[in-house]
Amino acid sequence: MLPPIMVYTWTFTAATPSFRCRISVEDMYEIKHPDDLLSRYIPSESQCREYKSQISVRECQRCYQNINKSYSYGENNGPLKACKSFIYDRTYYQSTLVEEWSMVCNEVSLKSFVQTIFFFGYMIGSLIFGILSDKLGRRPVMGISFFIISLGSFICAFAPQQKLGFEISYVLFLVGRFLVACATRGVALTGFVIGVELVGPKQRLFTGIVIEYFFAIGQLILLAFAYMIRTWRLLHIALAILSVPFLFFYFILPESPRWLISKGYYDEAEKILRRIAKTNKNSFNSITYQRLVAEEKKKEALVPVKGHGLLHLLRSKVMCIIAINMSFQWFVQNLVFYGVSQNTGTWLRNPYISFAAGALIEIAAYFVAHCVLHRWGRKATYGLFVIGFAIFAFLVVPIQMLMIKGNGQQSLMFIVNVILKFFASGSYAIIYIYANELFPTHARNTGIGICSMVARIGAIIGTLLNDLLTRVWLYFPIIVFGFTSIVAVAFIAICPETFNKSLPQTIEDVEQMGLAWPWRKPKPLTCAQIDDNDDINENVLLKEQPKKNIV
């Protein structure tokens, strides 16, 4: 719940209100001027197309003004002058960082750079915390991550000061956002992995989806704070204070028993499993657990684990192909998801209603994904969501080119945006679950961390597309998102299905799953490929003996 609050804070603290150029007359006299006088300074459409053809007419008219103000609006009056100061609409925001640092028009790159650094922090955090989580454990990494989030949040809230100047304030804010970004990956990825590892195959889908529900709930909590607090600094301070109680989560969270077993900490794992059994009012089956330990020791003797990290994952051809494919899928989904999500504020005039609509649509998408994943499996469901997104993304072109501008076109575009958000949210959630079930326990967090690191490149590009390509055409980024989605569907076909299958413990388990080449028939399973390790919850915690023998 905490990572989305920190991620989407930027949506409100750096929101871009409606603005216009402040003309020289307004700088000289602080009085309200009639609209017909102000309109003389607005460039005509022909001026914009002649002198500023690289940007849209709307962008030109609010970022430039006539040099010769003696002519009336609508005439071609020659070259244009870039605006140096602006007047912002106070309807929805009292103050934002965009206004304070004038991050509009030709300075919009300052805003984009903050998000670029933020997603770069995502990349670093995904890799570092992913490797540390596989090496040191899930629980300590979560504790460290919560502390860094609080630290970065307070830096963002208090570091930018007028007396320090713009340059120093800007750099300090970048440092704070970078720390928050790094740590949110430690919480999000590690929390997702430990949630999946604490349960058996029957509950794996539920734990994966319920985390996504809380991701959307976190957005609604942020919305409540942002609606009540309309100034960027007070909002940052409130959210920084909100992060403090999460520091105590370390004392509540148990370590992943699956990770402990994979590392040979059998006694520690037994203690946690006994506590789980007691909480669930079941008896711990010591005999079954000792069989499990004996089998794990045999596996380690036959196939010893050879370290951690990228090289450990890529030493197998099958694992290498899956890792590269999953990294590309995460790249596309982050490009699409964050590209669409950052535009929810433009759906309607009221940004708060738009943001709430986006969060509720996410919850609906997670619910639908939860229902169909039980029946259709991971790969087919993911492919349908991605194809659905691509189809509606390309519908934007005929709607904009063929329909007459007006309320009908705006209403239809709102519906399309809602559907795009629905499909983007669903595929984003499914790829998290799918990737967790494809990487082995020995390097699961490392693999997810690598995917997340590559995915941040997609998030960075999505942010840049929204900031830069929309100046050319408002819906240009959506077309790019649709094209990349088509490519993603083509590549996902070679990944194996993981529905109702055991979580792989080692790379050898992944190799037994194999690849699903479209031109090859799947091989039938052999007895040696049946693994009951995922039945820890059913076989260890309950009194009943396992229905199958331990292989």
Side-chain angles (χ1 to χ4, degrees):
M1 195 166 62
L2 185 61
I5 294 175
M6 298 302 165
V7 171
Y8 289 111
T9 301
W10 183 250
T11 303
F12 297 101
T13 58
T16 304
S18 298
F19 67 92
R20 66 172 177 82
C21 184
R22 182 190 291 272
I23 62 177
S24 56
V25 177
E26 290 178 298
D27 292 331
M28 296 171 58
Y29 307 102
E30 293 294 333
I31 58 174
K32 185 176 181 179
H33 298 274
D35 293 339
D36 59 340
L37 176 62
L38 297 177
S39 65
R40 297 181 183 180
Y41 292 83
I42 300 176
S44 64
E45 183 174 342
S46 58
Q47 279 181 287
C48 291
R49 297 190 184 282
E50 181 176 356
Y51 296 103
K52 300 294 174 184
S53 57
Q54 70 277 14
I55 61 176
S56 65
V57 174
R58 174 176 175 271
E59 184 75 3
C60 168
Q61 290 180 339
R62 66 179 185 173
C63 294
Y64 293 88
Q65 60 176 302
N66 283 321
I67 296 177
N68 187 349
K69 58 182 178 296
S70 61
Y71 290 85
S72 60
Y73 173 70
E75 297 182 2
N76 192 330
N77 304 323
L80 305 176
K81 178 183 178 181
C83 299
K84 294 183 178 180
S85 60
F86 305 89
I87 293 178
Y88 297 89
D89 185 9
R90 304 288 186 188
T91 304
Y92 301 110
Y93 307 102
Q94 294 181 18
S95 70
T96 70
L97 274 169
V98 168
E99 178 182 350
E100 185 160 327
W101 290 343
S102 295
M103 296 187 293
V104 294
C105 297
N106 294 331
E107 300 298 328
V108 72
S109 58
L110 292 173
K111 180 181 177 182
S112 302
F113 188 67
V114 175
Q115 282 298 80
T116 301
I117 293 296
F118 183 83
F119 287 120
F120 180 72
Y122 256 35
M123 293 172 58
I124 301 300
S126 299
L127 182 61
I128 293 178
F129 286 111
I131 294 174
L132 288 178
S133 180
D134 281 333
K135 188 174 183 179
L136 303 178
R138 316 314 193 200
R139 183 169 174 256
V141 169
M142 289 277 282
I144 294 171
S145 299
F146 280 124
F147 173 77
I148 297 176
I149 285 177
S150 294
L151 176 63
S153 299
F154 279 103
I155 291 176
C156 290
F158 294 104
Q161 300 289 338
Q162 288 186 353
K163 59 184 179 182
L164 295 178
F166 166 73
E167 291 79 7
I168 297 177
S169 297
Y170 187 74
V171 171
L172 289 174
F173 190 83
L174 288 177
V175 171
R177 288 292 286 173
F178 178 82
L179 292 175
V180 168
C182 287
T184 52
R185 302 321 296 159
V187 172
L189 296 181
T190 306
F192 195 95
V193 168
I194 194 174
V196 172
E197 289 181 345
L198 277 170
V199 299
K202 293 181 180 179
Q203 298 300 327
R204 216 159 54 215
L205 174 60
F206 172 76
T207 56
I209 288 293
V210 76
I211 290 175
E212 301 296 345
Y213 286 139
F214 277 91
F215 186 90
I217 293 172
Q219 296 179 51
L220 294 176
I221 293 175
L222 169 64
L223 176 64
F225 276 86
Y227 184 79
M228 293 184 294
I229 306 172
R230 303 294 181 97
T231 59
W232 73 266
R233 191 183 298 277
L234 287 179
L235 180 58
H236 265 298
I237 293 173
L239 297 178
I241 296 173
L242 178 66
S243 69
V244 173
F246 286 87
L247 296 174
F248 299 96
F249 196 76
Y250 173 81
F251 302 101
I252 303 174
L253 182 73
E255 183 55 87
S256 166
R258 188 183 297 276
W259 178 85
L260 290 170
I261 292 172
S262 72
K263 296 300 179 183
Y265 302 123
Y266 303 117
D267 293 339
E268 291 85 346
E270 183 177 350
K271 291 179 182 178
I272 295 176
L273 290 172
R274 285 184 180 276
R275 179 151 47 100
I276 293 174
K278 183 179 180 181
T279 304
N280 293 337
K281 297 180 180 180
N282 289 315
S283 297
F284 182 78
N285 194 325
S286 300
I287 296 176
T288 304
Y289 183 70
Q290 292 305 320
R291 289 177 181 175
L292 177 66
V293 171
E295 289 301 318
E296 287 296 319
K297 290 180 178 179
K298 287 181 181 179
K299 282 186 177 182
E300 289 181 6
L302 294 174
V303 187
V305 179
K306 300 180 180 179
H308 307 271
L310 182 61
L311 294 179
H312 177 60
L313 280 174
L314 302 186
R315 65 186 178 90
S316 162
K317 179 181 177 181
V318 173
M319 190 72 256
C320 179
I321 294 174
I322 290 176
I324 293 174
N325 199 339
M326 281 294 107
S327 297
F328 176 73
Q329 299 298 329
W330 280 52
F331 168 86
V332 172
Q333 291 312 312
N334 276 258
L335 172 74
V336 169
F337 180 78
Y338 285 104
V340 171
S341 297
Q342 290 172 5
N343 278 335
T344 54
T346 63
W347 290 0
L348 302 170
R349 292 183 180 274
N350 191 319
Y352 301 100
I353 297 178
S354 295
F355 192 85
L360 294 175
I361 291 165
E362 280 193 37
I363 294 176
Y366 301 149
F367 177 77
V368 172
H370 190 182
C371 294
V372 298
L373 281 171
H374 276 300
R375 297 173 175 84
W376 299 344
R378 312 305 192 233
K379 188 163 67 172
T381 305
Y382 174 75
L384 288 174
F385 271 86
V386 177
I387 290 175
F389 178 90
I391 292 173
F392 279 90
F394 291 130
L395 282 178
V396 171
V397 176
I399 292 174
Q400 291 296 315
M401 297 299 180
L402 302 179
M403 288 189 66
I404 301 175
K405 292 183 179 181
N407 293 331
Q409 187 189 59
Q410 292 178 357
S411 300
L412 190 57
M413 279 306 305
F414 175 76
I415 296 174
V416 170
N417 282 323
V418 167
I419 296 174
L420 290 175
K421 175 70 172 179
F422 174 85
F423 283 122
S425 301
S427 58
Y428 185 82
I430 295 169
I431 202 62
Y432 258 83
I433 298 171
Y434 197 12
N436 264 278
E437 296 175 346
L438 284 173
F439 286 105
T441 300
H442 288 299
R444 181 166 294 118
N445 238 41
T446 299
I448 297 299
I450 292 170
C451 288
S452 184
M453 181 187 70
V454 175
R456 296 320 126 193
I457 301 175
I460 292 172
I461 294 176
T463 301
L464 293 175
L465 291 180
N466 282 333
D467 289 339
L468 301 178
L469 289 187
T470 51
R471 301 187 75 192
V472 180
W473 185 43
L474 186 61
Y475 301 100
F476 200 166
I478 295 179
I479 304 303
V480 178
F481 302 155
F483 176 77
T484 54
S485 296
I486 293 293
V487 179
V489 171
F491 281 104
I492 199 62
I494 65 175
C495 284
E497 179 58 73
T498 59
F499 181 48
N500 276 340
K501 293 184 179 179
S502 300
L503 277 180
Q505 290 286 98
T506 63
I507 288 180
E508 286 68 25
D509 294 338
V510 178
E511 290 178 337
Q512 288 182 358
M513 294 169 65
L515 297 172
W517 298 107
W519 56 86
R520 294 182 184 176
K521 294 183 179 180
K523 296 181 180 180
L525 290 175
T526 63
C527 294
Q529 291 175 315
I530 301 175
D531 187 357
D532 289 336
N533 283 339
D534 245 358
D535 293 328
I536 290 177
N537 285 30
E538 290 84 354
N539 297 342
V540 176
L541 302 184
L542 303 180
K543 290 181 179 180
E544 291 79 11
Q545 293 294 328
K547 295 181 180 179
K548 302 175 184 177
N549 293 325
I550 300 295
V551 178

